[in-house]
Amino acid sequence: MADLEFIRKLVIPAESKIVFLVMDGVGGLPMEQGGLTELEAAHTPNLDALAANSICGFTIPITPGITPGSGPGHLGMFGYDPCRYIIGRGVLEALGIDFDLEPQDVAARGNFCSVDEAGRVTDRRAGRIPTEKCVELTALLREKTKLPGVKLFIEPVKEHRFVLVLRGDGLAGDLTESDPQRLGVPPVPIRPLENASDLAASQKTADLANHLVAQAKEALKGQRPANMILLRGLDKRPAIPSMREVFGLRAAAIAVYPMYRGLAKLVGMTALPSGTTLADEFDALEKSWPDYDFFYLHFKYTDSRGEDGDFAAKVAVIEEFDSYVPRAMALKPDVVVVTGDHSTPSLLRAHSWHPVPTMLYSRYCRCDEAREYSERACARGALGNLHAVDLMPLALANALRLTKFGA
Amino acid sequence: MADLEFIRKLVIPAESKIVFLVMDGVGGLPMEQGGLTELEAAHTPNLDALAANSICGFTIPITPGITPGSGPGHLGMFGYDPCRYIIGRGVLEALGIDFDLEPQDVAARGNFCSVDEAGRVTDRRAGRIPTEKCVELTALLREKTKLPGVKLFIEPVKEHRFVLVLRGDGLAGDLTESDPQRLGVPPVPIRPLENASDLAASQKTADLANHLVAQAKEALKGQRPANMILLRGLDKRPAIPSMREVFGLRAAAIAVYPMYRGLAKLVGMTALPSGTTLADEFDALEKSWPDYDFFYLHFKYTDSRGEDGDFAAKVAVIEEFDSYVPRAMALKPDVVVVTGDHSTPSLLRAHSWHPVPTMLYSRYCRCDEAREYSERACARGALGNLHAVDLMPLALANALRLTKFGA
């Protein structure tokens, strides 16, 4: 893996365009030994035609055996070392509701919970209250809480989950959480982590957060079952150099779900307006084609159907995606990458560590003998097992956007 | 990648002999989608026979997507991390004219340029003056310049290019260049880089270089069009431990072009005398066979024809090289590596990032199913995508020159 500063020095201007077609969780497994994976079972004439003119293989999202969450999975795919740039749970939750986090903001994931009269946690999720109740309670908290010198945002997410954002000067992350992670004990006071990079600022932020928790307890007294809050993953968004700065790319994101737009915005992409269907996403691609050098188009449902454990449904959405590929190719992109941020085998009903089937098409890709986009074909491809973080430099090279290293 | 100190501790003595047959820029691309690469098109019965008894695959010169210059390309192939040992432009230029750089020397690449009456650069290459003029002007500079406590070497290269070497105590590199890289502005004073490792020595060297530039300006006054100089890439040669020290190898280089002999000398190889043809190079190999453990034999023209964009000519020189392979095999080397320092596809007319087809022959190589030396066959080889810097330890292992790590 080359570091970003190394790459940045080699970037040269070009007119070329790069498209990343990302099927979330695309990699799979056979349901029975010797069977086909979802991709192998799917009828994908367009992806297969592209494979014949591509270099194919696998990308390893993190390192072998490591299953990534969506945050690290995407950062690696975008060329950023996911073990260096850490996205806290609070930040991810804020991105997921399209909250525009500013660099100095500290975000937390909040849970409404239940406590007994002695203040001991009896249900960490308050019986998963309905989302409408969550909306009502967050409104109550907004009214009844206040911190000196800090602007507070308390936004509902879903069921018992909400987002808390502290905006003010001199705040810092690197904090423990108040969730005791077990029942029968009270919430834990928030403290700076031992290795906090700015201990004074973290202490100040911890004090503010604890003050807020006390106010929330008071405000929620008498509510049932949600009469207390737990805060997790309090942190700032990581300071990530933008794709413009390091790769010289005007980059745009097309994604239906806010979290993926948010991840893209973290690396400086512009989130394009788009509707909710694949047709809408490809419309957005076509419409914005002249204005950007790099497009990340995200398709969620391969992951969703994998998490459902619904093999046939995952096959169906892969086939649906396949039918849109010609619309991307008609734009005559210089480089097309088809990949996922991780695998989500229906068999496992979850993200997995499996390398992701990946192909890179360009005039200069040196295509191999893989003739379809599938796990079996990718295993014969010339990309081998590429670290996901190396995919972006390879795409830049194929777009003739990197100059020679050394004389 | 194992570091050199790690390898050094494992080296054990042996009588075995290793030969690196290096076709510069050997990797290629098809000219048309679906076509053959230069190597695939070439008729190479000897290399193919060797492939059948070799382990085949690709080497990645730096990291995926990165195109190496000749310096980093060779260092990696020789087992030295090319991102750690940086070869400045001045050093490379000095190597290219067979100048014997001493460790304390600071070398610069010089350009004769044109300036107007106000001293502003009007042509950074002085209209590419003929080489004879360069010879004449460097002689003039040698006569008219002088620095206290420093021995100066000013040697012509070609057209507007020359080499400047400052030899003296207490000099350092880590300097900016005087070339403003654009027209209409005067040359820039040379300064230490911000991260210079010995700031005082770099400042002293910068002062001397600026003093020399002032003398050169005076000496060239009245010349047309070359009435000024620009200095670039002022640096010492990197301090690289020799192949004898780290790999326990008495290493010899056979190369027609001075720059490649120079790169080999940087890592402590002995540059063998040789004529200018492949027959001469293989004569040199045979003649010195008893005296060394490691031979690097460099063939330039695969790169040259690639840079010309002449596919057929590159095919022809590959076939020429192939016809000499039996002469190397007749010496019964224990390990033979066939590789390049990078790819130079005729299609791109330049060095490229593409992994380099590489094969390693030995009694113990565990040969794979690749039956020819080509991109397509190497994609099926068991070497996979190997970092070039790992090739040397692998060659040492196959030569039974490395002992076990750990008990």
Side-chain angles (χ1 to χ4, degrees), chain A residues 2 53 363-364 366 369 382-383 386 393 397-398 402 404-407, chain B residues 28 31 33 65 67 69-72 92 343 347 353-355 376 380 385:
Chain A
N53 292 313
R363 170 93 169 80
Y364 311 110
R366 192 192 268 168
E369 296 187 343
L383 263 191
L386 188 75
N398 275 276
L402 293 181
K404 196 160 64 170
F405 166 60
Chain B
M31 296 299 278
Q33 206 166 290
T67 297
S70 298
L92 205 70
S343 295
L347 179 65
W353 63 89
H354 298 88
R376 238 162 267 236
R380 290 191 299 269
N385 287 313

PDB file of all heavy atoms in Angstrom, chain A residues 2 53 363-364 366 369 382-383 386 393 397-398 402 404-407, chain B residues 28 31 33 65 67 69-72 92 343 347 353-355 376 380 385:
ATOM      1  N   ALA A   2       0.647   2.108  -0.958  1.00  0.00           N
ATOM      2  CA  ALA A   2       1.376   3.378  -1.006  1.00  0.00           C
ATOM      3  C   ALA A   2       0.629   4.388  -0.129  1.00  0.00           C
ATOM      4  O   ALA A   2      -0.591   4.375  -0.069  1.00  0.00           O
ATOM      5  CB  ALA A   2       1.421   3.886  -2.437  1.00  0.00           C
ATOM      6  N   ASN A  53     -13.290  -7.797 -21.148  1.00  0.00           N
ATOM      7  CA  ASN A  53     -12.382  -6.702 -21.508  1.00  0.00           C
ATOM      8  C   ASN A  53     -11.763  -6.044 -20.279  1.00  0.00           C
ATOM      9  O   ASN A  53     -11.332  -4.898 -20.337  1.00  0.00           O
ATOM     10  CB  ASN A  53     -13.123  -5.650 -22.331  1.00  0.00           C
ATOM     11  CG  ASN A  53     -13.510  -6.200 -23.692  1.00  0.00           C
ATOM     12  OD1 ASN A  53     -12.679  -6.813 -24.359  1.00  0.00           O
ATOM     13  ND2 ASN A  53     -14.759  -6.015 -24.088  1.00  0.00           N
ATOM     14  N   ARG A 363      -8.826   0.812 -21.413  1.00  0.00           N
ATOM     15  CA  ARG A 363      -8.089   0.529 -22.651  1.00  0.00           C
ATOM     16  C   ARG A 363      -6.754  -0.121 -22.328  1.00  0.00           C
ATOM     17  O   ARG A 363      -6.186  -0.823 -23.146  1.00  0.00           O
ATOM     18  CB  ARG A 363      -7.884   1.876 -23.356  1.00  0.00           C
ATOM     19  CG  ARG A 363      -6.954   1.896 -24.536  1.00  0.00           C
ATOM     20  CD  ARG A 363      -7.720   1.693 -25.810  1.00  0.00           C
ATOM     21  NE  ARG A 363      -6.875   1.955 -26.992  1.00  0.00           N
ATOM     22  CZ  ARG A 363      -6.006   1.069 -27.465  1.00  0.00           C
ATOM     23  NH1 ARG A 363      -5.849  -0.082 -26.862  1.00  0.00           N
ATOM     24  NH2 ARG A 363      -5.293   1.361 -28.553  1.00  0.00           N
ATOM     25  N   TYR A 364      -6.195   0.152 -21.132  1.00  0.00           N
ATOM     26  CA  TYR A 364      -4.838  -0.262 -20.793  1.00  0.00           C
ATOM     27  C   TYR A 364      -4.792  -1.279 -19.663  1.00  0.00           C
ATOM     28  O   TYR A 364      -3.779  -1.423 -19.003  1.00  0.00           O
ATOM     29  CB  TYR A 364      -4.019   0.972 -20.383  1.00  0.00           C
ATOM     30  CG  TYR A 364      -4.138   2.104 -21.343  1.00  0.00           C
ATOM     31  CD1 TYR A 364      -4.818   3.281 -21.006  1.00  0.00           C
ATOM     32  CD2 TYR A 364      -3.589   2.008 -22.628  1.00  0.00           C
ATOM     33  CE1 TYR A 364      -4.932   4.322 -21.909  1.00  0.00           C
ATOM     34  CE2 TYR A 364      -3.709   3.046 -23.540  1.00  0.00           C
ATOM     35  CZ  TYR A 364      -4.382   4.204 -23.176  1.00  0.00           C
ATOM     36  OH  TYR A 364      -4.496   5.221 -24.071  1.00  0.00           O
ATOM     37  N   ARG A 366      -4.774  -4.462 -19.440  1.00  0.00           N
ATOM     38  CA  ARG A 366      -4.136  -5.778 -19.681  1.00  0.00           C
ATOM     39  C   ARG A 366      -5.098  -6.875 -19.231  1.00  0.00           C
ATOM     40  O   ARG A 366      -4.939  -7.498 -18.180  1.00  0.00           O
ATOM     41  CB  ARG A 366      -2.807  -5.894 -18.953  1.00  0.00           C
ATOM     42  CG  ARG A 366      -2.005  -7.116 -19.427  1.00  0.00           C
ATOM     43  CD  ARG A 366      -0.833  -7.415 -18.530  1.00  0.00           C
ATOM     44  NE  ARG A 366       0.402  -6.782 -18.957  1.00  0.00           N
ATOM     45  CZ  ARG A 366       1.483  -6.724 -18.201  1.00  0.00           C
ATOM     46  NH1 ARG A 366       1.465  -7.212 -17.003  1.00  0.00           N
ATOM     47  NH2 ARG A 366       2.575  -6.154 -18.652  1.00  0.00           N
ATOM     48  N   GLU A 369      -7.883 -13.794 -18.670  1.00  0.00           N
ATOM     49  CA  GLU A 369      -8.728 -14.798 -19.289  1.00  0.00           C
ATOM     50  C   GLU A 369     -10.083 -14.970 -18.610  1.00  0.00           C
ATOM     51  O   GLU A 369     -10.872 -15.814 -19.019  1.00  0.00           O
ATOM     52  CB  GLU A 369      -7.961 -16.123 -19.364  1.00  0.00           C
ATOM     53  CG  GLU A 369      -6.740 -15.971 -20.269  1.00  0.00           C
ATOM     54  CD  GLU A 369      -6.012 -17.263 -20.537  1.00  0.00           C
ATOM     55  OE1 GLU A 369      -6.222 -18.233 -19.797  1.00  0.00           O
ATOM     56  OE2 GLU A 369      -5.238 -17.284 -21.503  1.00  0.00           O
ATOM     57  N   ALA A 382      -6.047 -11.863 -13.324  1.00  0.00           N
ATOM     58  CA  ALA A 382      -4.664 -11.423 -13.128  1.00  0.00           C
ATOM     59  C   ALA A 382      -4.500 -10.395 -12.016  1.00  0.00           C
ATOM     60  O   ALA A 382      -3.386 -10.076 -11.628  1.00  0.00           O
ATOM     61  CB  ALA A 382      -4.113 -10.863 -14.437  1.00  0.00           C
ATOM     62  N   LEU A 383      -5.620  -9.887 -11.496  1.00  0.00           N
ATOM     63  CA  LEU A 383      -5.497  -8.942 -10.375  1.00  0.00           C
ATOM     64  C   LEU A 383      -5.017  -9.654  -9.126  1.00  0.00           C
ATOM     65  O   LEU A 383      -4.452  -9.021  -8.230  1.00  0.00           O
ATOM     66  CB  LEU A 383      -6.862  -8.328 -10.028  1.00  0.00           C
ATOM     67  CG  LEU A 383      -7.262  -6.981 -10.566  1.00  0.00           C
ATOM     68  CD1 LEU A 383      -8.516  -6.511  -9.849  1.00  0.00           C
ATOM     69  CD2 LEU A 383      -6.167  -5.931 -10.463  1.00  0.00           C
ATOM     70  N   LEU A 386      -5.951  -8.299  -4.441  1.00  0.00           N
ATOM     71  CA  LEU A 386      -5.440  -6.938  -4.311  1.00  0.00           C
ATOM     72  C   LEU A 386      -5.983  -6.331  -3.025  1.00  0.00           C
ATOM     73  O   LEU A 386      -7.160  -6.523  -2.696  1.00  0.00           O
ATOM     74  CB  LEU A 386      -5.958  -6.133  -5.505  1.00  0.00           C
ATOM     75  CG  LEU A 386      -5.421  -4.736  -5.721  1.00  0.00           C
ATOM     76  CD1 LEU A 386      -4.000  -4.798  -6.278  1.00  0.00           C
ATOM     77  CD2 LEU A 386      -6.315  -3.967  -6.695  1.00  0.00           C
ATOM     78  N   PRO A 393      -5.254   3.773  -6.641  1.00  0.00           N
ATOM     79  CA  PRO A 393      -4.072   4.076  -7.460  1.00  0.00           C
ATOM     80  C   PRO A 393      -4.077   3.336  -8.797  1.00  0.00           C
ATOM     81  O   PRO A 393      -3.669   3.899  -9.816  1.00  0.00           O
ATOM     82  CB  PRO A 393      -2.895   3.610  -6.579  1.00  0.00           C
ATOM     83  CG  PRO A 393      -3.412   3.671  -5.186  1.00  0.00           C
ATOM     84  CD  PRO A 393      -4.884   3.365  -5.274  1.00  0.00           C
ATOM     85  N   ALA A 397      -3.952   5.092 -12.396  1.00  0.00           N
ATOM     86  CA  ALA A 397      -2.945   4.734 -13.402  1.00  0.00           C
ATOM     87  C   ALA A 397      -3.623   4.445 -14.731  1.00  0.00           C
ATOM     88  O   ALA A 397      -3.224   4.964 -15.774  1.00  0.00           O
ATOM     89  CB  ALA A 397      -2.137   3.527 -12.931  1.00  0.00           C
ATOM     90  N   ASN A 398      -4.679   3.637 -14.694  1.00  0.00           N
ATOM     91  CA  ASN A 398      -5.387   3.287 -15.924  1.00  0.00           C
ATOM     92  C   ASN A 398      -6.067   4.493 -16.572  1.00  0.00           C
ATOM     93  O   ASN A 398      -6.334   4.483 -17.770  1.00  0.00           O
ATOM     94  CB  ASN A 398      -6.412   2.180 -15.655  1.00  0.00           C
ATOM     95  CG  ASN A 398      -5.804   0.802 -15.723  1.00  0.00           C
ATOM     96  OD1 ASN A 398      -5.667   0.223 -16.798  1.00  0.00           O
ATOM     97  ND2 ASN A 398      -5.379   0.274 -14.578  1.00  0.00           N
ATOM     98  N   LEU A 402      -1.465   9.330 -13.253  1.00  0.00           N
ATOM     99  CA  LEU A 402      -0.292   9.268 -12.367  1.00  0.00           C
ATOM    100  C   LEU A 402       0.973   9.332 -13.219  1.00  0.00           C
ATOM    101  O   LEU A 402       1.084   8.634 -14.226  1.00  0.00           O
ATOM    102  CB  LEU A 402      -0.269   7.961 -11.569  1.00  0.00           C
ATOM    103  CG  LEU A 402      -1.351   7.731 -10.520  1.00  0.00           C
ATOM    104  CD1 LEU A 402      -1.123   6.388  -9.825  1.00  0.00           C
ATOM    105  CD2 LEU A 402      -1.371   8.864  -9.493  1.00  0.00           C
ATOM    106  N   LYS A 404       5.313   9.061 -13.502  1.00  0.00           N
ATOM    107  CA  LYS A 404       6.349   8.115 -13.096  1.00  0.00           C
ATOM    108  C   LYS A 404       6.924   8.473 -11.731  1.00  0.00           C
ATOM    109  O   LYS A 404       7.074   9.639 -11.408  1.00  0.00           O
ATOM    110  CB  LYS A 404       7.437   8.199 -14.163  1.00  0.00           C
ATOM    111  CG  LYS A 404       8.429   7.119 -14.207  1.00  0.00           C
ATOM    112  CD  LYS A 404       9.118   7.083 -15.583  1.00  0.00           C
ATOM    113  CE  LYS A 404       9.939   8.325 -15.900  1.00  0.00           C
ATOM    114  NZ  LYS A 404      10.765   8.133 -17.108  1.00  0.00           N
ATOM    115  N   PHE A 405       7.269   7.460 -10.966  1.00  0.00           N
ATOM    116  CA  PHE A 405       7.966   7.661  -9.689  1.00  0.00           C
ATOM    117  C   PHE A 405       9.471   7.526  -9.924  1.00  0.00           C
ATOM    118  O   PHE A 405       9.943   6.468 -10.311  1.00  0.00           O
ATOM    119  CB  PHE A 405       7.510   6.625  -8.664  1.00  0.00           C
ATOM    120  CG  PHE A 405       8.385   6.538  -7.441  1.00  0.00           C
ATOM    121  CD1 PHE A 405       8.570   7.658  -6.628  1.00  0.00           C
ATOM    122  CD2 PHE A 405       9.022   5.363  -7.100  1.00  0.00           C
ATOM    123  CE1 PHE A 405       9.386   7.591  -5.496  1.00  0.00           C
ATOM    124  CE2 PHE A 405       9.833   5.283  -5.964  1.00  0.00           C
ATOM    125  CZ  PHE A 405      10.022   6.401  -5.168  1.00  0.00           C
ATOM    126  N   GLY A 406      10.193   8.601  -9.675  1.00  0.00           N
ATOM    127  CA  GLY A 406      11.648   8.545  -9.779  1.00  0.00           C
ATOM    128  C   GLY A 406      12.106   8.625 -11.221  1.00  0.00           C
ATOM    129  O   GLY A 406      11.356   8.348 -12.145  1.00  0.00           O
ATOM    130  N   ALA A 407      13.351   9.022 -11.387  1.00  0.00           N
ATOM    131  CA  ALA A 407      13.880   9.200 -12.741  1.00  0.00           C
ATOM    132  C   ALA A 407      14.464   7.892 -13.263  1.00  0.00           C
ATOM    133  O   ALA A 407      14.613   6.958 -12.508  1.00  0.00           O
ATOM    134  CB  ALA A 407      14.942  10.289 -12.739  1.00  0.00           C
TER     135      ALA A 407
ATOM    136  N   GLY B  28       4.253  -5.836 -21.649  1.00  0.00           N
ATOM    137  CA  GLY B  28       3.591  -5.058 -22.684  1.00  0.00           C
ATOM    138  C   GLY B  28       2.080  -5.133 -22.625  1.00  0.00           C
ATOM    139  O   GLY B  28       1.501  -5.569 -21.617  1.00  0.00           O
ATOM    140  N   MET B  31      -1.952  -4.181 -28.829  1.00  0.00           N
ATOM    141  CA  MET B  31      -2.230  -2.898 -29.486  1.00  0.00           C
ATOM    142  C   MET B  31      -3.730  -2.710 -29.680  1.00  0.00           C
ATOM    143  O   MET B  31      -4.215  -1.600 -29.764  1.00  0.00           O
ATOM    144  CB  MET B  31      -1.517  -2.813 -30.841  1.00  0.00           C
ATOM    145  CG  MET B  31       0.003  -2.839 -30.741  1.00  0.00           C
ATOM    146  SD  MET B  31       0.721  -1.438 -29.789  1.00  0.00           S
ATOM    147  CE  MET B  31       0.733  -0.138 -31.030  1.00  0.00           C
ATOM    148  N   GLN B  33      -7.703  -4.313 -28.513  1.00  0.00           N
ATOM    149  CA  GLN B  33      -8.459  -5.120 -27.565  1.00  0.00           C
ATOM    150  C   GLN B  33      -8.521  -6.577 -28.024  1.00  0.00           C
ATOM    151  O   GLN B  33      -8.873  -6.855 -29.162  1.00  0.00           O
ATOM    152  CB  GLN B  33      -9.864  -4.531 -27.480  1.00  0.00           C
ATOM    153  CG  GLN B  33     -10.574  -4.805 -26.186  1.00  0.00           C
ATOM    154  CD  GLN B  33     -11.796  -3.905 -26.062  1.00  0.00           C
ATOM    155  OE1 GLN B  33     -11.662  -2.697 -25.885  1.00  0.00           O
ATOM    156  NE2 GLN B  33     -12.966  -4.497 -26.172  1.00  0.00           N
ATOM    157  N   GLY B  65      -0.311   0.202  -9.524  1.00  0.00           N
ATOM    158  CA  GLY B  65      -0.619   1.467 -10.183  1.00  0.00           C
ATOM    159  C   GLY B  65       0.553   2.425 -10.323  1.00  0.00           C
ATOM    160  O   GLY B  65       0.442   3.420 -11.024  1.00  0.00           O
ATOM    161  N   THR B  67       4.076   3.654 -11.655  1.00  0.00           N
ATOM    162  CA  THR B  67       5.031   3.474 -12.742  1.00  0.00           C
ATOM    163  C   THR B  67       6.421   3.873 -12.254  1.00  0.00           C
ATOM    164  O   THR B  67       6.600   5.003 -11.803  1.00  0.00           O
ATOM    165  CB  THR B  67       4.636   4.375 -13.928  1.00  0.00           C
ATOM    166  OG1 THR B  67       3.357   3.958 -14.413  1.00  0.00           O
ATOM    167  CG2 THR B  67       5.658   4.298 -15.038  1.00  0.00           C
ATOM    168  N   GLY B  69      10.462   4.887 -12.503  1.00  0.00           N
ATOM    169  CA  GLY B  69      11.607   5.239 -13.330  1.00  0.00           C
ATOM    170  C   GLY B  69      12.626   4.107 -13.243  1.00  0.00           C
ATOM    171  O   GLY B  69      12.459   3.151 -12.476  1.00  0.00           O
ATOM    172  N   SER B  70      13.692   4.225 -14.033  1.00  0.00           N
ATOM    173  CA  SER B  70      14.691   3.152 -14.072  1.00  0.00           C
ATOM    174  C   SER B  70      15.366   2.963 -12.719  1.00  0.00           C
ATOM    175  O   SER B  70      15.689   1.832 -12.340  1.00  0.00           O
ATOM    176  CB  SER B  70      15.759   3.478 -15.115  1.00  0.00           C
ATOM    177  OG  SER B  70      15.167   3.552 -16.380  1.00  0.00           O
ATOM    178  N   GLY B  71      15.571   4.045 -11.988  1.00  0.00           N
ATOM    179  CA  GLY B  71      16.242   3.943 -10.686  1.00  0.00           C
ATOM    180  C   GLY B  71      15.450   3.079  -9.721  1.00  0.00           C
ATOM    181  O   GLY B  71      15.908   1.999  -9.319  1.00  0.00           O
ATOM    182  N   PRO B  72      14.239   3.500  -9.356  1.00  0.00           N
ATOM    183  CA  PRO B  72      13.449   2.675  -8.447  1.00  0.00           C
ATOM    184  C   PRO B  72      13.132   1.293  -9.014  1.00  0.00           C
ATOM    185  O   PRO B  72      13.090   0.308  -8.268  1.00  0.00           O
ATOM    186  CB  PRO B  72      12.153   3.484  -8.244  1.00  0.00           C
ATOM    187  CG  PRO B  72      12.308   4.756  -8.983  1.00  0.00           C
ATOM    188  CD  PRO B  72      13.636   4.810  -9.630  1.00  0.00           C
ATOM    189  N   LEU B  92      21.494  10.121 -10.934  1.00  0.00           N
ATOM    190  CA  LEU B  92      21.172   9.279 -12.079  1.00  0.00           C
ATOM    191  C   LEU B  92      21.898   9.784 -13.339  1.00  0.00           C
ATOM    192  O   LEU B  92      22.423   8.988 -14.120  1.00  0.00           O
ATOM    193  CB  LEU B  92      19.658   9.269 -12.310  1.00  0.00           C
ATOM    194  CG  LEU B  92      19.125   8.037 -13.020  1.00  0.00           C
ATOM    195  CD1 LEU B  92      19.214   6.813 -12.124  1.00  0.00           C
ATOM    196  CD2 LEU B  92      17.685   8.256 -13.447  1.00  0.00           C
ATOM    197  N   SER B 343       7.345  -2.486 -16.983  1.00  0.00           N
ATOM    198  CA  SER B 343       6.787  -2.721 -18.311  1.00  0.00           C
ATOM    199  C   SER B 343       6.938  -1.458 -19.155  1.00  0.00           C
ATOM    200  O   SER B 343       6.944  -0.344 -18.615  1.00  0.00           O
ATOM    201  CB  SER B 343       5.298  -3.096 -18.213  1.00  0.00           C
ATOM    202  OG  SER B 343       5.131  -4.341 -17.543  1.00  0.00           O
ATOM    203  N   LEU B 347       2.108   0.287 -26.868  1.00  0.00           N
ATOM    204  CA  LEU B 347       0.866   1.058 -26.941  1.00  0.00           C
ATOM    205  C   LEU B 347       0.980   2.380 -26.191  1.00  0.00           C
ATOM    206  O   LEU B 347       0.406   3.387 -26.598  1.00  0.00           O
ATOM    207  CB  LEU B 347      -0.280   0.225 -26.345  1.00  0.00           C
ATOM    208  CG  LEU B 347      -1.670   0.857 -26.305  1.00  0.00           C
ATOM    209  CD1 LEU B 347      -2.205   1.088 -27.709  1.00  0.00           C
ATOM    210  CD2 LEU B 347      -2.648  -0.026 -25.528  1.00  0.00           C
ATOM    211  N   TRP B 353       2.822   1.047 -15.281  1.00  0.00           N
ATOM    212  CA  TRP B 353       2.597   0.471 -13.955  1.00  0.00           C
ATOM    213  C   TRP B 353       2.351  -1.039 -14.003  1.00  0.00           C
ATOM    214  O   TRP B 353       2.246  -1.658 -12.963  1.00  0.00           O
ATOM    215  CB  TRP B 353       1.369   1.138 -13.337  1.00  0.00           C
ATOM    216  CG  TRP B 353       0.124   0.849 -14.134  1.00  0.00           C
ATOM    217  CD1 TRP B 353      -0.729  -0.217 -13.977  1.00  0.00           C
ATOM    218  CD2 TRP B 353      -0.381   1.581 -15.256  1.00  0.00           C
ATOM    219  NE1 TRP B 353      -1.733  -0.168 -14.925  1.00  0.00           N
ATOM    220  CE2 TRP B 353      -1.538   0.917 -15.726  1.00  0.00           C
ATOM    221  CE3 TRP B 353       0.051   2.742 -15.920  1.00  0.00           C
ATOM    222  CZ2 TRP B 353      -2.279   1.380 -16.810  1.00  0.00           C
ATOM    223  CZ3 TRP B 353      -0.686   3.191 -17.018  1.00  0.00           C
ATOM    224  CH2 TRP B 353      -1.825   2.511 -17.443  1.00  0.00           C
ATOM    225  N   HIS B 354       2.229  -1.585 -15.180  1.00  0.00           N
ATOM    226  CA  HIS B 354       1.804  -2.983 -15.269  1.00  0.00           C
ATOM    227  C   HIS B 354       2.816  -3.931 -14.639  1.00  0.00           C
ATOM    228  O   HIS B 354       4.018  -3.784 -14.843  1.00  0.00           O
ATOM    229  CB  HIS B 354       1.569  -3.367 -16.731  1.00  0.00           C
ATOM    230  CG  HIS B 354       0.480  -2.583 -17.386  1.00  0.00           C
ATOM    231  ND1 HIS B 354       0.727  -1.379 -18.013  1.00  0.00           N
ATOM    232  CD2 HIS B 354      -0.853  -2.789 -17.459  1.00  0.00           C
ATOM    233  CE1 HIS B 354      -0.427  -0.895 -18.484  1.00  0.00           C
ATOM    234  NE2 HIS B 354      -1.402  -1.727 -18.156  1.00  0.00           N
ATOM    235  N   PRO B 355       2.306  -4.919 -13.907  1.00  0.00           N
ATOM    236  CA  PRO B 355       3.203  -5.917 -13.341  1.00  0.00           C
ATOM    237  C   PRO B 355       4.064  -6.552 -14.437  1.00  0.00           C
ATOM    238  O   PRO B 355       3.653  -6.637 -15.600  1.00  0.00           O
ATOM    239  CB  PRO B 355       2.242  -6.928 -12.716  1.00  0.00           C
ATOM    240  CG  PRO B 355       1.013  -6.142 -12.400  1.00  0.00           C
ATOM    241  CD  PRO B 355       0.901  -5.134 -13.506  1.00  0.00           C
ATOM    242  N   ARG B 376       0.011 -13.803 -20.466  1.00  0.00           N
ATOM    243  CA  ARG B 376      -1.116 -14.707 -20.282  1.00  0.00           C
ATOM    244  C   ARG B 376      -0.707 -15.909 -19.442  1.00  0.00           C
ATOM    245  O   ARG B 376      -1.419 -16.325 -18.533  1.00  0.00           O
ATOM    246  CB  ARG B 376      -1.625 -15.189 -21.642  1.00  0.00           C
ATOM    247  CG  ARG B 376      -3.081 -14.860 -21.890  1.00  0.00           C
ATOM    248  CD  ARG B 376      -3.384 -14.955 -23.368  1.00  0.00           C
ATOM    249  NE  ARG B 376      -3.201 -13.615 -23.940  1.00  0.00           N
ATOM    250  CZ  ARG B 376      -4.154 -12.986 -24.622  1.00  0.00           C
ATOM    251  NH1 ARG B 376      -5.317 -13.564 -24.830  1.00  0.00           N
ATOM    252  NH2 ARG B 376      -3.931 -11.776 -25.099  1.00  0.00           N
ATOM    253  N   ARG B 380      -1.331 -17.250 -14.956  1.00  0.00           N
ATOM    254  CA  ARG B 380      -1.711 -18.554 -14.393  1.00  0.00           C
ATOM    255  C   ARG B 380      -0.625 -19.120 -13.486  1.00  0.00           C
ATOM    256  O   ARG B 380      -0.773 -20.219 -12.964  1.00  0.00           O
ATOM    257  CB  ARG B 380      -1.966 -19.551 -15.534  1.00  0.00           C
ATOM    258  CG  ARG B 380      -3.212 -19.273 -16.354  1.00  0.00           C
ATOM    259  CD  ARG B 380      -3.517 -20.464 -17.274  1.00  0.00           C
ATOM    260  NE  ARG B 380      -2.422 -20.725 -18.213  1.00  0.00           N
ATOM    261  CZ  ARG B 380      -2.340 -20.195 -19.429  1.00  0.00           C
ATOM    262  NH1 ARG B 380      -3.276 -19.376 -19.875  1.00  0.00           N
ATOM    263  NH2 ARG B 380      -1.324 -20.481 -20.217  1.00  0.00           N
ATOM    264  N   ASN B 385       1.185 -12.199  -7.859  1.00  0.00           N
ATOM    265  CA  ASN B 385       1.698 -10.842  -8.012  1.00  0.00           C
ATOM    266  C   ASN B 385       2.667 -10.578  -6.868  1.00  0.00           C
ATOM    267  O   ASN B 385       2.277 -10.217  -5.777  1.00  0.00           O
ATOM    268  CB  ASN B 385       0.552  -9.822  -7.966  1.00  0.00           C
ATOM    269  CG  ASN B 385      -0.287  -9.848  -9.222  1.00  0.00           C
ATOM    270  OD1 ASN B 385       0.247  -9.843 -10.325  1.00  0.00           O
ATOM    271  ND2 ASN B 385      -1.605  -9.884  -9.067  1.00  0.00           N
TER     272      ASN B 385
END
